[in-house]
Amino acid sequence: MDSLIATFLSLLLSETGDRTQLLAAALALRFSNNRAVIAGFGLASLANCLLSAFAGSFVDEWISQDPVRLFNGLAYFLAGIAMLAWRRNLDLLTRWKTGPFLTAFLGLFILQFGDKGQFIIGANAAMAGHWIFPAIGGWLGTIAAVLPAIILKDKLAKLLPLKRIRIGAGLLFCAFGLLQALRAWHFI
């Protein structure tokens, strides 16, 4: 159950102000169909969370606890670096001729695939031993971060200091990742 809460909070922070949130808001603006965008996003996010947690559960079976802890630390550290780094422009999928559900599903699935959130979910699943809890936590955290963007659209940026949240969370993730790495190497 700890992995559910940890993954929920991690994904909530890592997706706030991130490209997934921005694309979901842009698609909601473009299509004016929140239900279809929410359904497409929710299904895409669920598939990515299940996939990454299931894959992470195999890591736990193959290697001992210290390398798993190091993998966890690296996932968080690199997620923190990604949150602090410059981001390239986001493709708003305006050339896609599909409807709101399919555009949201495919666009957000592709965008989230291989993203920092997947590595965090996989690393937490490797540490937890039960892959379903990090999968659920990751999915709920992603939903909690992105759903307000779909509903509020461009107003979210006026309500929350997204840049400060990203910088603070990025620094926190870097510190936690380093701490996990130091534990894996038995420095602390």
Side-chain angles (χ1 to χ4, degrees):
M1 195 59 132
D2 289 345
S3 61
L4 186 145
I5 295 167
T7 310
F8 170 81
L9 292 173
S10 297
L11 269 289
L12 175 63
L13 285 173
S14 71
E15 295 296 342
T16 299
D18 194 42
R19 296 175 339 149
T20 304
Q21 194 181 53
L22 299 174
L23 180 59
L27 292 176
L29 273 170
R30 174 179 159 198
F31 288 112
S32 298
N33 187 345
N34 287 356
R35 287 184 185 160
V37 173
I38 289 169
F41 158 70
L43 192 58
S45 183
L46 180 62
N48 270 317
C49 290
L50 289 171
L51 178 66
S52 50
F54 187 68
S57 71
F58 285 106
V59 172
D60 183 42
E61 295 175 14
W62 292 340
I63 57 179
S64 65
Q65 191 61 33
D66 287 335
V68 168
R69 184 173 282 131
L70 182 60
F71 171 58
N72 187 269
L74 286 172
Y76 275 93
F77 182 77
L78 293 174
I81 294 294
M83 292 170 75
L84 297 170
W86 169 85
R87 293 179 290 167
R88 66 176 188 256
N89 289 337
L90 180 64
D91 180 6
L92 299 178
L93 312 179
T94 54
R95 291 179 283 163
W96 288 29
K97 302 301 179 206
T98 54
F101 173 80
L102 196 56
T103 302
F105 175 76
L106 292 174
L108 291 163
F109 182 83
I110 293 166
L111 183 65
Q112 286 182 312
F113 194 80
D115 192 35
K116 64 189 167 310
Q118 274 199 319
F119 285 100
I120 289 172
I121 293 167
N124 285 352
M127 294 281 293
H130 299 288
W131 65 272
I132 196 68
F133 292 120
I136 293 169
W139 185 65
L140 291 174
T142 305
I143 293 292
V146 176
L147 193 58
I150 294 171
I151 295 168
L152 297 172
K153 298 168 183 65
D154 56 344
K155 295 177 189 119
L156 182 69
K158 295 173 187 163
L159 294 173
L160 290 176
L162 297 178
K163 187 173 182 177
R164 283 190 232 156
I165 291 171
R166 290 198 55 76
I167 290 171
L171 292 172
L172 181 68
F173 281 20
C174 286
F176 180 73
L178 286 175
L179 180 66
Q180 285 291 77
L182 291 174
R183 285 182 180 161
W185 290 320
H186 298 284
F187 288 126
I188 52 173

